[in-house]
């Protein structure tokens, strides 16, 4: 242990405004070692790594490379210190070949010698076992090939410290295996590798040591050989915190929405939804837990008719007539008319639900303009509705005619959720409705959802915070890599139980540990 | 027969040269992601700036040297059109104004600028209401002395002023730079995906400025060629017509490749004047024939869209401004 680490972080802190992303984090990685950085969404993994790669600059703390302190202010600085990061979103020019992308931005002769570059790329590929055609255009490549190009790009620049941000999120199991064998070969070659992930089985099968982050703080670093899945989960999710959200018993629940064996493939052939089946009942809040990007969005969109599903059935039972209808044959508009409402809060709140440049009244109008009788817009009703929402949900706004984009995030969300609730839905789907909200606004949204539940609406709530899910929902369904890994009773389930389900992928489990 | 054909080709080339300058300039500009619709105006300014430079030089001296007769208008033209492109760059790159609006405004401005100075110079100094720069024009039109002895071959290949050859040379150099050099690769990356170029350490702003200004200056030479060579030094308001737009159409026709646009410009030039060689055409029918280059462009667009090949598409970030923090 006397060896100087290739990279060492000491007391790193970083905050964005009032949000603390990292607080006093210290960790290190040695040459010829794979270190996993494990943590939930929002635990500060990516922010920490971005500080090493020069995207962000730490507020406090020091970074040491091979024992000497360095200052990294830009990705270029990082390259000079032989640090290379492979981001989740690839930075590649689509119409260029692999070679052109790899040499882009490098200094050298005015005339490009792509042949020579291609040769050294082949050399690198041969050394670590990549499969790549240097003359293939990026747009013709699969996701895994693009990732390979990104990794070679970093190696071509001579990186000794590699950081991979959730490299397996977009890969098939076979591609993941291939990536892992390449990473192992790079480790044996003496490179220091940091891999960000939240998949426990990957951590256990690949890494030498694991550092766990929770809520921006470094919890512990342990040797992989001396730890277990349950110990890691406990460190990752932490102890339960009581939030005191009021929860009523569901009043005579009946089946409202039956989802049966739906499958959905991405264009690249990766399974987004894998044989998903569940039932949502009236007067009940069904929580959906899972690592971001595990198929939550696709699932909700499939129900709303926005996402094409390859097979399976979605049956809706009309609360008044009891008639069963298959939502697969319906257009999104018909589904809406039946009372299935989606209030999706995407990463950018204004993206899908509201039009930022329009005022609250006009945004209400977006849902009702079809009902108008004449060719002119009927503004009276939407205005009354807008005023009601402002009053009831305490939306802070100068008036109904203020463009929505000028409101703060929480108020935008209230407008969005308020509008969807106002149409008295029979199924209400809310994805991340409290993302970015302060405590009071969050509780207001919980209250609204509870009211809907008491009115007999089937509420589907996609959340990030396990504590909230456990206190707000009646049942919690856990989704992992597009597969339902379990449905538990929220009143008796524990955080660890859900954490384990979130990070587990049954089908791969057996082979991955071997 | 052969002589008529040679003449048709010669007319096509002469018509095509301004288009070639315009399209080469616009291709370089568009490769950086800037859709400069100000090109027609810039070409107009390139023409009138050359006229102003030549006019004052011709008036200032009794015995003008032929070297200065060429150099002064050339520099004036480059300066004028380069300044126009600089205005466009500042507005769209630094201030991130809408590229289409800025470009169209510049075209309106450039045309007005040309007409104003052309008109007022003609009124103040012109004989018979127009300006004729005979000496300058003769210097620009000087071609190879042996051209006439070679018959048809001479007419097709050697009968042009030096600006015509320069246009072809610039086009081929541009094609080489774009395809084979580091600068070209980085410029293309800026137009395709500026965020990626930025992350790779390419100075996006500098590339955009340089490409737009160099492109504008090259396009402006098309206007200069038109006044000095094609119309023999006679400036007339509105004489340049819709050639600027034709140059932009040629960019699409050439699929953003300057070497293809050499052939394309001659084809467009030929289609543009073909009505002159078809006997007994009524005035209105002539106008129909002038539409041909645009029809061809539309056909190319349709065919290319059907082929769906990514290499034939415009740069991906064309028309959008780049803002680093907007990730």
């Amino acid at each position: 242990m006397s060896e100087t680490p290739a990279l060492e972080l000491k007391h790193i802190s970083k905050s964005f405004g009032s949000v603390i992303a990292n607080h006093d984090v210290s960790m290190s990685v040695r040459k010829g070692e794979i270190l996993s950085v494990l943590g939930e969404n929002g635990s500060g993994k990516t922010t920490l790594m971005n500080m090493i790669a020069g995207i962000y600059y730490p507020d406090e703390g020091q970074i040491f490379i091979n024992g000497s302190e360095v200052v990294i202010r830009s990705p270029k600085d990082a390259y000079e210190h032989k640090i290379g990061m492979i981001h989740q979103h690839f930075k590649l020019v689509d119409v260029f070949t692999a070679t052109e992308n790899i040499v882009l931005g490098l200094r050298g002769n005015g005339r490009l010698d792509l042949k020579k570059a291609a040769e050294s790329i082949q050399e690198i590929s041969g050394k670590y076992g990549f499969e790549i055609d240097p003359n293939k255009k990026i747009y013709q490549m699969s996701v895994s090939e693009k990732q390979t190009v990104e990794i070679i790009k970093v190696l071509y620049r001579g990186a000794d410290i590699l950081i991979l941000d959730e490299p397996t999120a977009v890969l098939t199991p076979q591609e993941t295996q291939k990536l892992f064998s390449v990473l192992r070969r790079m480790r044996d070659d003496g490179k220091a590798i940091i891999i960000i992930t939240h998949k426990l089985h990957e951590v256990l099968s690949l890494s030498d040591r694991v550092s766990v982050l929770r809520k921006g703080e470094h919890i512990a670093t342990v040797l992989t050989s001396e730890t277990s899945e349950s110990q890691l989960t406990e460190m990752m999710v932490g102890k339960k915190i009581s939030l005191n959200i009021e929860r009523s018993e569901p009043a005579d629940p009946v089946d409202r929405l039956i989802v049966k064996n739906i499958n959905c493939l991405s264009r690249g052939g990766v399974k987004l939804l894998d044989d998903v089946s569940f039932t949502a009942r009236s007067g009940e809040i069904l929580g959906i837990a899972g690592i971001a990007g595990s198929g939550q969005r696709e699932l909700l969109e499939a129900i709303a008719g926005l996402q094409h599903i390859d097979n399976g059935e979605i049956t809706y039972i009309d609360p008044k007539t009891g008639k069963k209808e298959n939502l697969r044959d319906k257009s999104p508009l018909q589904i809406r008319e039946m009372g299935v409402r989606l209030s999706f809060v995407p990463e950018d709140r204004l993206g899908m639900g509201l039009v930022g440049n329009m005022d609250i009244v006009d945004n209400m109008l977006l849902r009702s303009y079809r009902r108008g009788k004449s060719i002119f817009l009927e503004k009276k009703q939407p205005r009354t509705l807008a005023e009601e929402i402002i009053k009831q949900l305490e939306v802070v706004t100068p008036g109904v005619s203020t463009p929505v984009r000028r409101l703060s995030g929480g108020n935008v969300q209230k407008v969005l959720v308020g509008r969807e609730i106002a149409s008295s839905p029979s199924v209400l789907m809310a994805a991340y409705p409290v993302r970015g909200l302060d405590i009071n606004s969050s509780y207001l949204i919980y209250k609204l959802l509870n009211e809907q539940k008491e009115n007999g609406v089937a509420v589907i709530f996609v959340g990030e915070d396990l504590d909230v899910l456990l206190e707000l929902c009646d049942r919690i369904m856990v989704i992992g890599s597009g597969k339902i890994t379990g449905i538990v009773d929220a009143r008796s389930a524990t955080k660890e139980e859900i954490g384990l389900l979130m990070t587990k992928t049954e089908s791969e489990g057996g082979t991955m540990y071997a | 027969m052969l002589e008529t054909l040679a003449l048709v080709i010669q007319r096509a080339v002469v018509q095509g040269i301004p288009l070639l300058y315009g399209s080469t300039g616009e291709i370089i500009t568009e490769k950086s992601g800037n859709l400069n619709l100000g090109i027609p105006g810039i070409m107009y300014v390139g023409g009138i700036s050359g006229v102003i430079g030549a006019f004052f030089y011709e008036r200032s001296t009794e015995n003008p040297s032929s070297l200065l007769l060429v150099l002064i208008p050339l520099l004036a033209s480059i300066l004028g059109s380069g300044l126009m492109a600089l205005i466009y760059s500042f507005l769209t790159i630094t201030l991130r104004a809408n590229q289409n609006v800025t470009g169209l405004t510049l075209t309106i401005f450039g045309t007005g600028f040309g007409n104003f100075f052309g008109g007022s110079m003609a009124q103040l100094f012109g004989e018979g209401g127009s300006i004729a720069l005979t000496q300058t024009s003769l210097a620009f039109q000087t071609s190879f002395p042996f051209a006439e002895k070679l018959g048809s071959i001479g007419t097709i290949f050697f009968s042009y002023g030096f600006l015509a050859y320069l246009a072809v040379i610039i086009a081929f150099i541009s094609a080489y730079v774009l395809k084979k050099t580091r600068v070209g690769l980085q410029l293309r990356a800026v137009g395709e995906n500026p965020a990626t170029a930025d992350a790779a350490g390419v100075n996006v702003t500098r590339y955009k400025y340089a490409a737009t200004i160099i492109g504008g200056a090259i396009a402006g030479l098309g206007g200069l060629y038109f006044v000095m060579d094609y119309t023999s030094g006679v400036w007339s308001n509105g004489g340049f017509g819709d050639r600027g737009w034709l140059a932009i159409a040629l960019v699409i026709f050439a699929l953003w490749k300057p070497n293809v646009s050499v052939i394309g410009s001659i084809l467009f030039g030929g289609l543009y004047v073909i009505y002159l060689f078809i006997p007994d055409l009524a005035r209105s029918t002539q106008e129909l024939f002038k539409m041909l280059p645009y029809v061809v462009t539309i056909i190319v667009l349709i065919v290319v869209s059907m082929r769906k090949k990514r290499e034939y598409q415009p740069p991906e970030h064309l028309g959008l401004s780049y803002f680093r923090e907007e990730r």
Side-chain angles (χ1 to χ4, degrees):
Chain A
M1 295 285 158
S2 60
E3 193 198 347
T4 359
L7 173 77
E8 188 170 17
L9 305 177
K10 279 188 183 162
H11 311 293
I12 298 277
S13 293
K14 173 83 186 169
S15 48
F16 298 99
S18 61
V19 183
I20 295 165
N22 287 119
H23 178 67
D24 196 19
V25 177
S26 301
M27 60 169 73
S28 65
V29 60
R30 296 185 211 107
K31 288 188 190 103
E33 176 185 66
I34 299 178
L35 174 78
S36 289
V37 178
L38 185 69
E40 281 190 299
N41 300 312
S43 56
K45 296 168 295 193
T46 304
T47 309
L48 185 67
M49 293 304 127
N50 277 338
M51 281 188 272
I52 306 171
I55 311 264
Y56 298 137
Y57 190 71
D59 297 341
E60 274 170 53
Q62 298 152 295
I63 300 173
F64 293 86
I65 288 171
N66 296 327
S68 50
E69 188 176 352
V70 294
V71 176
I72 303 168
R73 289 191 180 274
S74 70
K76 230 172 127 191
D77 288 355
Y79 276 133
E80 269 158 31
H81 294 297
K82 308 208 164 210
I83 299 171
M85 180 156 171
I86 290 103
H87 296 269
Q88 238 176 324
H89 301 283
F90 304 137
K91 292 199 178 295
L92 297 169
V93 179
D94 272 355
V95 293
F96 283 11
T97 62
T99 312
E100 286 176 320
N101 266 294
I102 288 166
V103 300
L104 179 66
L106 290 177
R107 308 261 166 265
N109 294 338
R111 197 180 172 284
L112 271 179
D113 195 348
L114 290 175
K115 231 179 177 173
K116 209 173 129 202
E119 274 165 24
S120 34
I121 289 167
Q122 292 286 23
E123 204 177 297
I124 295 175
S125 310
K127 192 169 165 193
Y128 297 112
F130 291 110
E131 284 164 29
I132 186 99
D133 172 5
N135 297 317
K136 200 169 174 183
K137 296 262 164 85
I138 299 297
Y139 69 87
Q140 294 166 328
M141 291 186 176
S142 70
V143 184
S144 120
E145 284 176 291
K146 287 182 197 174
Q147 189 180 55
T148 308
V149 175
E150 284 280 17
I151 297 174
I152 297 178
K153 191 165 145 186
V154 166
L155 292 173
Y156 191 87
R157 285 162 165 75
D160 287 332
I161 301 165
L162 278 93
I163 305 166
L164 295 100
D165 189 358
E166 293 187 25
T168 58
V170 288
L171 301 183
T172 64
Q174 292 84 353
E175 289 166 342
T176 305
Q177 287 304 332
K178 224 188 265 173
L179 173 72
F180 283 2
S181 69
V182 166
L183 291 179
R184 286 194 191 103
R185 229 172 286 185
M186 295 200 303
R187 168 186 64 191
D188 298 341
D189 190 46
K191 310 242 181 239
I193 297 167
I194 303 177
I195 169 170
I196 302 180
T197 183
H198 39 231
K199 296 182 184 166
L200 282 177
H201 61 86
E202 291 181 1
V203 171
L204 293 169
S205 73
L206 180 69
S207 60
D208 301 305
R209 286 191 305 152
V210 194
S211 289
V212 183
L213 289 183
R214 186 173 75 225
K215 303 219 156 91
E217 290 188 47
H218 177 230
I219 301 301
T221 298
V222 291
L223 287 172
T224 312
S225 53
E226 290 170 7
T227 188
S228 67
E229 210 166 318
S230 58
Q231 191 197 357
L232 288 175
T233 311
E234 203 190 302
M235 287 196 283
M236 200 165 106
V237 295
K239 293 270 174 291
K240 189 170 158 36
I241 307 158
S242 184
L243 296 167
N244 296 319
I245 301 171
E246 276 178 45
R247 171 165 57 189
S248 54
E249 287 295 319
D252 58 290
V254 284
D255 292 359
R256 180 66 50 82
L257 194 68
I258 303 168
V259 174
K260 238 185 192 163
N261 310 98
I262 59 171
N263 282 290
C264 170
L265 289 177
S266 78
R267 277 195 301 173
V270 177
K271 277 195 174 177
L272 298 172
L273 292 177
D274 188 356
D275 209 23
V276 170
S277 304
F278 68 94
T279 307
R281 295 199 279 256
S282 66
E284 187 188 75
I285 299 182
L286 174 68
I288 300 183
I291 303 292
S294 300
Q296 298 96 319
R297 182 194 186 123
E298 287 77 14
L299 177 59
L300 297 200
E301 287 188 353
I303 296 170
L306 299 169
Q307 164 83 42
H308 170 79
I309 48 179
D310 294 299
N311 50 50
E313 245 174 65
I314 303 172
T315 314
Y316 171 74
I317 300 156
D318 196 291
K320 285 183 203 110
T321 58
K323 222 176 107 194
K324 289 185 180 180
E325 299 204 59
N326 191 351
L327 294 187
R328 262 191 87 177
D329 319 325
K330 301 267 190 287
S331 71
L333 190 71
Q334 284 171 317
I335 295 174
R336 286 190 58 79
E337 293 299 319
M338 289 162 67
V340 179
R341 292 300 156 109
L342 173 64
S343 91
F344 194 93
V345 183
E347 283 85 69
D348 55 334
R349 286 186 198 97
L350 292 174
M352 259 174 88
L354 301 169
V355 179
N357 280 331
M358 294 186 354
D359 64 22
I360 303 177
V361 177
D362 285 353
N363 269 299
M364 297 297 140
L365 198 61
L366 282 179
R367 287 293 190 233
S368 61
Y369 70 97
R370 279 167 200 279
R371 261 174 262 142
K373 288 186 192 73
S374 66
I375 58 164
F376 298 107
L377 290 172
E378 173 64 60
K379 279 216 179 184
K380 215 183 231 161
Q381 264 184 322
R383 179 176 293 273
T384 332
L385 177 61
E387 279 161 359
E388 263 171 41
I389 289 177
I390 291 173
K391 217 171 111 198
Q392 284 181 4
L393 306 191
E394 297 158 17
V395 179
V396 182
T397 166
V400 282
S401 46
T402 309
V404 171
R405 105 188 112 77
R406 292 230 204 105
L407 307 183
S408 75
N411 288 308
V412 169
Q413 239 138 299
K414 286 183 201 168
V415 172
L416 180 63
V417 176
R419 183 184 67 190
E420 298 305 322
I421 290 173
S423 54
S424 55
S426 54
V427 176
L428 178 68
M429 297 184 281
Y432 313 117
V434 296
R435 181 179 278 176
L437 294 196
D438 60 41
I439 309 241
N440 286 330
S441 309
S442 302
Y443 274 82
L444 197 70
I445 300 275
Y446 303 147
K447 208 179 109 208
L448 284 171
L449 293 176
N450 263 322
E451 276 172 20
Q452 291 301 306
K453 163 185 160 184
E454 279 154 28
N455 289 343
V457 175
V459 180
I460 299 176
F461 172 84
V462 179
E464 290 167 307
D465 194 326
L466 292 184
D467 291 315
V468 172
L469 280 162
L470 280 168
E471 291 204 18
L472 177 70
C473 304
D474 299 294
R475 287 183 303 148
I476 299 173
M477 175 165 93
V478 187
I479 188 167
S481 309
K483 229 176 163 64
I484 303 297
T485 49
I487 299 180
V488 295
D489 186 340
R491 286 177 176 78
S492 58
T494 63
K495 235 174 147 178
E496 287 72 32
E497 202 179 321
I498 295 175
L500 266 179
L501 285 170
M502 275 166 69
T503 48
K504 178 164 157 187
T505 24
E506 275 174 65
S507 62
E508 293 161 23
T511 53
M512 301 292 284
Y513 299 126
Chain B
M1 182 57 213
L2 193 65
E3 268 163 40
T4 321
L5 188 68
L7 198 65
V8 173
I9 294 176
Q10 192 216 21
R11 299 307 300 163
V13 172
V14 169
Q15 282 292 340
I17 293 304
L19 309 183
L20 180 56
Y21 274 116
S23 70
T24 307
E26 179 71 3
I27 289 171
I28 294 174
T29 309
E30 288 195 13
K31 280 291 177 189
S32 77
N34 279 351
L35 177 65
N36 189 354
L37 292 181
I39 283 293
I42 289 178
M43 294 176 80
Y44 227 92
V45 170
I48 193 69
S49 307
V51 167
I52 295 172
F55 179 77
F56 284 107
Y57 180 62
E58 275 196 26
R59 269 170 65 98
S60 69
T61 169
E62 282 295 308
N63 289 316
S65 84
S66 46
L67 182 69
L68 284 179
L69 274 177
V70 169
L71 268 186
I72 289 177
L74 200 63
L75 290 178
S77 168
I78 289 174
L79 191 70
S81 42
L83 267 177
M84 287 283 282
L86 178 66
I87 296 174
Y88 175 88
S89 305
F90 181 69
L91 285 170
T92 61
I93 303 167
T94 306
L95 302 181
R96 296 188 205 98
N98 181 295
Q99 296 190 2
N100 294 346
V101 175
T102 311
L104 290 174
T105 312
L106 271 190
T107 286
I108 296 166
F109 170 72
T111 317
F113 181 89
N115 287 345
F116 174 75
F117 281 98
S120 25
M121 282 197 327
Q123 202 173 22
L124 290 176
F125 313 109
E127 295 125 28
S130 72
I131 295 207
L133 301 161
T134 330
Q135 287 165 307
T136 314
S137 157
L138 277 176
F140 271 90
Q141 282 175 331
T142 312
S143 63
F144 296 98
F146 53 82
E148 277 172 33
K149 288 175 214 149
L150 291 174
S152 297
I153 301 286
T155 315
I156 296 175
F157 292 106
F158 301 110
S159 62
Y160 316 103
F162 80 97
L163 273 181
Y165 302 102
L166 185 66
V168 178
I169 293 169
I170 290 178
F172 281 124
I173 291 178
S174 307
Y176 179 82
V177 169
L178 282 174
K179 221 176 145 105
K180 297 277 181 198
T181 67
R182 216 168 275 278
V183 171
L185 181 76
Q186 298 183 351
L187 176 62
R188 282 186 287 140
V190 167
E192 292 288 342
N193 193 336
T196 298
D198 197 11
V202 178
N203 189 331
V204 174
T205 308
R206 194 190 296 165
Y207 267 88
K208 274 181 166 259
Y209 262 95
T212 309
I213 292 171
I214 292 170
I218 292 173
L221 291 180
L224 185 70
Y225 173 85
F226 180 79
V227 202
M228 296 307 173
D229 196 328
Y230 182 79
T231 65
S232 307
V234 179
W235 173 271
S236 57
N237 279 355
F240 192 63
D242 58 357
R243 286 177 176 79
W245 297 115
L246 212 49
I248 293 176
L250 183 55
V251 172
I252 300 165
F253 177 88
L255 304 172
W256 290 267
K257 294 184 176 79
N259 47 343
V260 178
S261 106
V262 173
I263 308 294
S265 68
I266 297 171
L267 178 71
F268 270 39
L271 291 172
Y272 201 61
V273 292
I274 199 163
Y275 69 93
L276 293 173
F277 297 92
I278 299 173
D280 304 327
L281 282 183
R283 183 90 182 86
S284 51
T285 326
Q286 289 182 4
E287 294 299 323
L288 281 179
F289 270 86
K290 284 188 189 174
M291 281 169 39
L292 280 176
Y294 297 102
V295 175
V296 173
T297 304
I298 292 171
I299 292 171
V300 168
L301 263 181
I302 293 171
V303 172
V304 166
S305 308
M306 283 183 346
R307 296 269 308 272
K308 279 191 183 142
K309 215 172 153 201
R310 281 294 296 274
E311 283 83 353
Y312 295 164
Q313 298 303 315
E316 204 175 318
H317 217 256
L318 182 63
L320 307 169
S321 27
Y322 174 63
F323 185 41
R324 183 184 277 183
E325 271 95 290
E326 217 170 64
R327 280 173 205 266

